[in-house]
Amino acid sequence: MNTESVAVVELETPAPVSPQPSRRLVYRHTLPIRIMHWINVIALSLMLFSGLQIFNAHPSLYWGNRSDKGKELLTLDAHQDSAGNLVGTTRIGSLEFTTTGVLGVSKGSDGTPEVRGFPSWLTVPGAGWLAMGRRWHFFFAWVFVLNGLCYVGYSLARRHLQRDLWPTRSDWRGIGHSILDHIRFKHPHGEEALRYNILQRLAYLIVIFVFGVGIVLMGLAMSPRMDAVLSPLVEAVGGRQSARTIHFIIAWAFVAFVLIHLFEVLISGVFNQLRGMITGYYKVDAGKGHTSDPDETISAEERSHD
């Protein structure tokens, strides 16, 4: 197992009346990981917003190679009611919901209702600008791909993937306990907080190697320039429309992961988590087992998350 030297910075605290657990800053995330993390934040955000712009050109999903009317799996539509007002609807299979104001019909730039799959505030670079939306989407897709390759290469070279993300037998044995801790919103503290638990490891591996690889392959399978080269893949998933549907589902799976990730950051100490991903330093309590004085400068060998 590889270890890395980490700097531990003394926090200035008043002399305690009674012994208290030592608090220290641990260098947790290296500079390359932090840079690649924030590149991903930008790339994924703009891929989502530009992807919704592209989807608005034909806001329906199908399965197979054809997009036959009446066979939509999902469609964002609009119609006029008896009073002549636009009504937005979302139909999933045979189920239909009124979603005026958000999906199907939303306010345009002048404040009047207009027929749009997703609202304009969720799309870039501009309402109805399909060609530029495609350019934005493809540009940031390649940023995402290259950044992902750099991350995997760096993680393998530094053994971050093997050391910090790949589950051990001990992790698998503790999966039930980890699930209960998450249900109760119980988070580790001190030294234990420096190590990913089994659910975190599985989530990151799925996001990287299932969502990440899957959304790129489905994007390529949709492309008219690539479907001839990737025809076995297109046939394996059921056709180009199937690839588009899978691409859409994975995109929203990414959104779900990000929302859960942000929620966990908020409830586990947003300032400490942000400091760790911006500066690299993360504050921990040494715990009862630490024998150093609370005001002592500490140096130690810690495993970094890279």
Side-chain angles (χ1 to χ4, degrees):
M1 179 180 298
N2 289 353
T3 59
E4 295 183 8
S5 297
V6 298
V8 181
V9 181
E10 175 189 3
L11 295 180
E12 294 184 5
T13 58
V17 176
S18 58
Q20 299 291 330
S22 301
R23 308 182 96 182
R24 54 186 182 145
L25 289 177
V26 177
Y27 189 64
R28 189 183 192 191
H29 301 291
T30 58
L31 181 61
I33 289 293
R34 303 199 309 272
I35 291 174
M36 288 183 280
H37 172 272
W38 293 112
I39 289 176
N40 253 2
V41 170
I42 295 171
L44 280 171
S45 298
L46 291 173
M47 283 170 61
L48 173 67
F49 300 145
S50 59
L52 297 181
Q53 170 100 334
I54 297 169
F55 184 82
N56 275 353
H58 187 75
S60 297
L61 295 174
Y62 309 84
W63 196 260
N65 272 312
R66 298 170 60 87
S67 53
D68 296 327
K69 189 171 180 60
K71 294 187 177 181
E72 300 91 347
L73 298 177
L74 175 145
T75 187
L76 308 181
D77 206 350
H79 65 269
Q80 287 187 330
D81 61 14
S82 57
N85 299 314
L86 283 174
V87 177
T89 59
T90 297
R91 191 168 69 252
I92 304 173
S94 60
L95 301 176
E96 186 171 290
F97 310 91
T98 298
T99 51
T100 306
V102 182
L103 303 175
V105 171
S106 55
K107 290 183 179 180
S109 57
D110 59 355
T112 60
E114 65 178 15
V115 178
R116 285 179 61 84
F118 286 95
S120 57
W121 55 268
L122 263 181
T123 61
V124 294
W129 201 353
L130 174 61
M132 189 57 69
R134 287 171 59 86
R135 290 187 179 184
W136 278 49
H137 195 71
F138 295 152
F139 174 80
F140 285 103
W142 283 113
V143 171
F144 175 73
V145 169
L146 294 175
N147 192 56
L149 291 174
C150 289
Y151 174 81
V152 172
Y154 178 85
S155 297
L156 288 172
R158 297 292 295 271
R159 295 191 61 79
H160 168 55
L161 187 66
Q162 305 94 310
R163 184 184 65 236
D164 297 321
L165 297 183
W166 197 257
T168 64
R169 290 183 180 179
S170 176
D171 290 325
W172 285 112
R173 287 194 295 268
I175 190 169
H177 181 71
S178 185
I179 292 172
L180 288 176
D181 282 346
H182 277 76
I183 292 174
R184 293 179 294 184
F185 302 124
K186 182 180 177 182
H187 295 86
H189 298 282
E191 307 298 315
E192 193 178 348
L194 297 176
R195 183 178 183 276
Y196 292 136
N197 61 51
I198 178 66
L199 296 184
Q200 289 173 308
R201 292 176 182 232
L202 291 176
Y204 289 133
L205 288 174
I206 289 171
V207 166
I208 295 167
F209 296 107
V210 178
F211 293 176
V213 174
I215 202 166
V216 170
L217 289 178
M218 293 303 100
L220 291 173
M222 285 190 293
S223 173
R225 297 181 181 181
M226 294 297 297
D227 62 354
V229 178
L230 298 176
S231 57
L233 175 63
V234 177
E235 292 173 5
V237 299
R240 287 181 60 193
Q241 292 300 325
S242 300
R244 183 171 182 258
T245 297
I246 297 172
H247 188 81
F248 183 88
I249 292 171
I250 296 176
W252 286 103
F254 264 115
V255 172
F257 168 79
V258 169
L259 292 177
I260 294 171
H261 178 67
L262 291 176
F263 176 75
E264 290 291 331
V265 167
L266 287 173
I267 66 175
S268 62
V270 62
F271 178 76
N272 200 26
Q273 297 285 358
L274 280 176
R275 175 173 52 197
M277 195 49 71
I278 293 173
T279 69
Y281 287 95
Y282 182 84
K283 184 175 71 175
V284 298
D285 296 325
K288 296 180 180 179
H290 198 282
T291 57
S292 299
D293 293 333
D295 59 350
E296 181 182 353
T297 301
I298 306 167
S299 296
E301 289 286 326
E302 297 284 359
R303 292 189 312 167
S304 169
H305 277 183
D306 269 340

